[in-house]
Amino acid sequence: RVFGMPILRALFRLSVKGEENLPKPPYIIAANHNDGSDPVFIVAAVRKNVYFLAKKRLFHPPIRARHIIKITNHIPIEGGKGQSTKVLTRVKEEYLAKGKIFGIFPEGTTLGGKMILDPKTGVARIALMSKCPVVPIAINGSHGILPVNSKIVKKVSKVKISIGKPMTFEQ
């Protein structure tokens, strides 16, 4: 992170607005998901370790980006019916309860491309379970940088990140 993030910030002309909105951890980041590079840009914007969820299959060959997934603190999860409650309980107990930052993409996929898909309920559920604030983040310009199953970065474009004010949910 020490060497890579300044290069990343310069190469993609990363601009970040709203850094003053980041509370003291623990908190949850909820961001749109346009591209496989989004977790890297979030870590660059927040300048702290952020833990994300990723399907277990993404940690193994033939997935070419598996090394990036591992170094960006992704938590391997099993898919399937009835798994979400177990996963969210684990995140609450092993990460948020220990003062860490958890990142989640409410869309759950990059398949929408530049369009924002309907959100899943995971961010709401973990916010209610953990009582941690949710920080909304908008990522613009990342679509197409690291497409699914790509070996290398496909394009270099200006990436803008906007960090909103934290929100809390009592019920």
Side-chain angles (χ1 to χ4, degrees):
R1 193 169 61 192
V2 172
F3 298 107
M5 290 305 166
I7 293 168
L8 179 93
R9 283 176 160 267
L11 182 64
F12 292 97
R13 301 180 314 272
L14 181 64
S15 68
V16 180
K17 291 184 181 172
E19 289 175 276
E20 69 280 359
N21 292 328
L22 293 171
K24 182 179 177 242
Y27 58 89
I28 300 160
I29 292 173
N32 59 306
H33 202 14
N34 300 321
D35 190 80
S37 62
D38 293 339
V40 176
F41 289 117
I42 290 173
V43 170
V46 173
R47 300 176 194 232
K48 295 187 185 311
N49 286 330
V50 180
Y51 296 83
F52 300 94
L53 300 177
K55 295 174 186 135
K56 199 172 190 175
R57 68 174 177 77
L58 298 176
F59 286 79
H60 306 288
I63 303 300
R64 294 179 179 102
R66 67 184 178 276
H67 304 296
I68 294 170
I69 289 169
K70 288 177 184 175
I71 64 171
T72 52
N73 296 318
H74 279 68
I75 304 162
I77 60 166
E78 293 284 348
K81 197 117 173 110
Q83 294 298 311
S84 62
T85 300
K86 291 178 193 173
V87 168
L88 296 177
T89 300
R90 179 177 164 211
V91 165
K92 175 187 156 205
E93 293 171 358
E94 294 180 26
Y95 297 91
L96 293 169
K98 294 179 180 175
K100 297 182 180 178
I101 303 166
F102 173 64
I104 189 167
F105 300 105
E107 297 166 275
T109 182
T110 60
L111 296 178
K114 293 180 182 180
M115 292 177 41
I116 295 178
L117 300 175
D118 289 337
K120 309 284 188 234
T121 61
V123 67
R125 291 172 61 201
I126 192 66
L128 291 171
M129 286 170 66
S130 68
K131 304 291 187 230
C132 289
V134 176
V135 177
I137 291 185
I139 305 168
N140 292 299
S142 66
H143 178 70
I145 290 174
L146 190 63
V148 176
N149 294 326
S150 176
K151 288 183 185 181
I152 57 169
V153 169
K154 292 292 184 181
K155 75 171 194 172
V156 175
S157 62
K158 183 172 183 164
V159 176
K160 296 178 184 178
I161 299 209
S162 299
I163 302 170
K165 294 185 186 283
M167 301 178 289
T168 55
F169 302 92
E170 299 301 318
Q171 53 182 321

